[in-house]
């Protein structure tokens, strides 16, 4: 049985909780990723971010997590994306995967993050130090 946890939330994300959620006695590897809000983008200083999510964002994230969990090497998957206002240093995306061996865990976690970023209908509004703003990944 593969454990699959996915969440879209306005609450702070805890990477250690994601790692604990994928703990499995069979696992020799747990790989995790934290997408952290940085203070710059393309040479411009960022003050803050807001993430807006489409109503089906949680469903899409669950589909992505389920696809990664379908890999026979994967024992467990946990992934969450935050919405709402975030500050510099906050975790916007947390992901963890467990497998028997490290190569499979690294590959599965990379696929999880890449697919979530590519498919998740969550858009970012960046506010810069000069008072301007931009939307990123917004259709």
């Amino acid at each position: 049985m593969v454990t699959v946890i996915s969440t879209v939330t306005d609450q702070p994300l805890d990477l250690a909780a994601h790692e604990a959620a994928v703990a499995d006695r069979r696992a020799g590897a747990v790989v995790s990723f934290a997408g952290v809000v940085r203070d710059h983008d393309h040479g411009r200083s960022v003050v803050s971010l807001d993430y807006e999510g489409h109503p089906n964002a949680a469903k899409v994230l669950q589909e992505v997590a389920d696809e990664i969990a379908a890999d026979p090497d994967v024992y467990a998957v946990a992934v969450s994306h935050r919405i709402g206002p975030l500050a510099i240093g906050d975790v916007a995306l947390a992901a963890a995967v467990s497998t028997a061996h490290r190569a499979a865990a690294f590959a599965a976690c990379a696929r999880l993050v890449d697919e979530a970023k590519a498919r998740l209908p969550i858009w970012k509004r960046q506010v810069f130090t000069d008072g301007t703003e931009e939307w990123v990944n917004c259709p």
Side-chain angles (χ1 to χ4, degrees), residues 80-104:
S80 300
H81 201 297
R82 191 154 165 212
I83 55 173
L86 280 77
I88 304 304
D90 285 349
V91 176
L93 175 67
V97 175
S98 64
T99 67
H101 303 285
R102 71 179 175 272

Side-chain angles (χ1 to χ4, degrees), residues 65-129:
D66 288 342
E67 288 172 17
I68 300 305
D71 180 330
D73 290 333
V74 172
Y75 297 142
V77 174
V79 60
S80 300
H81 201 297
R82 191 154 165 212
I83 55 173
L86 280 77
I88 304 304
D90 285 349
V91 176
L93 175 67
V97 175
S98 64
T99 67
H101 303 285
R102 71 179 175 272
F106 278 114
C109 193
R111 285 194 320 272
L112 176 61
V113 170
D114 290 346
E115 285 297 313
K117 295 294 286 177
R119 293 171 38 195
L120 199 56
I122 292 180
W123 306 284
K124 174 172 65 174
R125 181 178 67 93
Q126 300 185 112
V127 179
F128 299 101
T129 55

